[in-house]
Amino acid sequence: MRTLTKEMQKKITPTDAVELLKKGNERFLNNLKVNRNLLQQVTETSEGQNPFAVIISCMDSRTSPELIFDQGLGDIFSIRIAGNVVNEDIIGSAEFGCKVVGSKLIMVLGHTQCGAIKGAINDVQLGNLHFVTSKIRRSIPSVSSQAEGDLTCGVTRQNVIQGINDLKANSPILAEMVRNNEIKIVGGIYDVATGQVEVLDLDQEVLGYMMKEPSVNLTEGVH
Ligand SMILES: [Zn+2]
C-alpha cells in the first residue's frame, strides 16, 4: 500500500474513496492488515499530505479510524469528538480537508455502545458536556421506539444523519462540492462487538452492510 501522492489523490473519485474505506474495513475484519513501513511513510509524508478522506468519528478508544479502516500515515484526516457531533470547528476542519487539501469523501462515523449517545438520552449533566449532548438530543424526537436498546440504536443512527445535515446546511463550500460531485458525504456505524462498519450513503439510500458474514471468527486467530 503506497503512500498517497497528489497525483494518486486526484485520481480517486468520491465513490472510489468509499470503496477504499470498505476494503480497509474488510482487511481489518479478516485480520489482513497491510504490512506498512510506517517509518518510511514518515519520510514519504514529511513534505506534505494528500489524504483521500475526512473521517468525523467519536473519541471512543475502540473506534480509531486508522485501525478499523486499516489506513497508514497520510491516508485520512481524523477528526474526533465525543458523539461525533458536528460544530463550527469541525466544519471548518472538514472544509480545509476537502477544499484545500483535496480529500474526496467525508464520513460521519457513529458507533454502537456510544457513551455520549447514552449520556444524551439520559440527559447527564457534567460541566461542559451539555455542549455535546444538546447536539445529540436533537435526534431523540425523530426516533419512535422508546425501548432502551432500540432508542440508543435509533439515536446513534439519527445523530449520524444529523451530522451530515449539519455539514451540508452550514457549509456552502461543502454543499457546492457535493453538488459538483467533487466530494461525497456519507455516514457510517461501527459495531464495537464485531469490528464491522455499515456505510450509510444517503444519496443512494442505505448501501447496507459491507460484509454480512465476516469470514473469520474475531474471537480467535488474533496474532
Ligand atoms: Zn462514542
Side-chain angles (χ1 to χ4, degrees), residues 100-156:
V100 180
V101 188
S103 292
K104 304 301 179 72
L105 175 72
I106 300 173
M107 176 181 278
V108 180
L109 181 64
H111 69 97
T112 61
Q113 302 295 333
C114 181
I117 300 286
K118 292 177 183 173
I121 290 171
N122 295 322
D123 202 12
V124 170
Q125 299 296 324
L126 172 75
N128 288 273
L129 193 61
H130 63 92
F131 287 114
V132 172
T133 53
S134 62
K135 290 183 176 65
I136 299 171
R137 287 181 62 79
R138 292 176 298 163
S139 295
I140 295 174
S142 57
V143 178
S144 55
S145 173
Q146 294 301 310
E148 190 182 339
D150 291 347
L151 180 62
T152 303
C153 286
V155 174
T156 298

Side-chain angles (χ1 to χ4, degrees), residues 86-88 91-92 94-96 98-99 106 164-183 185:
V86 170
N87 62 26
E88 60 194 3
I91 295 170
E95 288 173 337
F96 173 77
C98 294
K99 192 70 179 178
I106 300 173
I164 293 170
N165 290 340
D166 287 341
L167 284 166
K168 289 179 178 171
N170 295 290
S171 173
I173 289 175
L174 295 176
E176 183 184 30
M177 292 185 84
V178 169
R179 278 198 304 277
N180 294 340
N181 295 317
E182 296 170 88
I183 62 166
I185 304 179

Side-chain angles (χ1 to χ4, degrees), residues 24-25 28 33 61 63-71 76:
N25 185 237
F28 174 69
K33 291 185 285 297
S61 64
T63 65
S64 177
E66 288 85 351
L67 296 178
I68 65 174
F69 291 115
D70 187 31
Q71 300 299 316
I76 57 172

Side-chain angles (χ1 to χ4, degrees), residues 13-220:
T13 67
T15 305
D16 292 338
V18 177
E19 289 304 311
L20 285 170
L21 291 183
K22 285 184 180 182
K23 291 232 160 39
N25 185 237
E26 281 178 25
R27 291 194 300 275
F28 174 69
L29 282 170
N30 288 287
N31 216 13
L32 294 171
K33 291 185 285 297
V34 170
N35 188 16
R36 293 182 176 82
N37 185 335
L38 289 176
L39 278 180
Q40 187 180 330
Q41 288 201 306
V42 170
T43 305
E44 289 168 349
T45 56
S46 61
E47 299 290 316
Q49 57 173 341
N50 304 285
F52 70 90
V54 176
I55 316 282
I56 299 169
S57 64
C58 184
M59 66 188 278
D60 192 292
S61 64
R62 299 164 291 183
T63 65
S64 177
E66 288 85 351
L67 296 178
I68 65 174
F69 291 115
D70 187 31
Q71 300 299 316
L73 297 182
D75 289 335
I76 57 172
F77 281 112
S78 184
I79 305 175
R80 300 188 69 176
I81 184 168
N84 43 275
V85 295
V86 170
N87 62 26
E88 60 194 3
D89 304 302
I90 304 284
I91 295 170
S93 302
E95 288 173 337
F96 173 77
C98 294
K99 192 70 179 178
V100 180
V101 188
S103 292
K104 304 301 179 72
L105 175 72
I106 300 173
M107 176 181 278
V108 180
L109 181 64
H111 69 97
T112 61
Q113 302 295 333
C114 181
I117 300 286
K118 292 177 183 173
I121 290 171
N122 295 322
D123 202 12
V124 170
Q125 299 296 324
L126 172 75
N128 288 273
L129 193 61
H130 63 92
F131 287 114
V132 172
T133 53
S134 62
K135 290 183 176 65
I136 299 171
R137 287 181 62 79
R138 292 176 298 163
S139 295
I140 295 174
S142 57
V143 178
S144 55
S145 173
Q146 294 301 310
E148 190 182 339
D150 291 347
L151 180 62
T152 303
C153 286
V155 174
T156 298
R157 184 171 290 254
Q158 186 58 39
N159 182 53
V160 166
I161 295 168
Q162 181 68 53
I164 293 170
N165 290 340
D166 287 341
L167 284 166
K168 289 179 178 171
N170 295 290
S171 173
I173 289 175
L174 295 176
E176 183 184 30
M177 292 185 84
V178 169
R179 278 198 304 277
N180 294 340
N181 295 317
E182 296 170 88
I183 62 166
K184 259 182 182 288
I185 304 179
V186 300
I189 305 286
Y190 176 73
D191 187 332
V192 297
T194 65
Q196 189 170 49
V197 176
E198 176 194 3
V199 176
L200 313 172
D201 186 341
L202 303 174
D203 295 333
Q204 300 178 15
E205 65 188 2
V206 177
L207 289 177
Y209 288 92
M210 294 163 58
M211 287 186 58
K212 285 190 171 17
E213 295 173 15
S215 58
V216 292
N217 181 340
L218 295 174
T219 60
E220 61 182 21

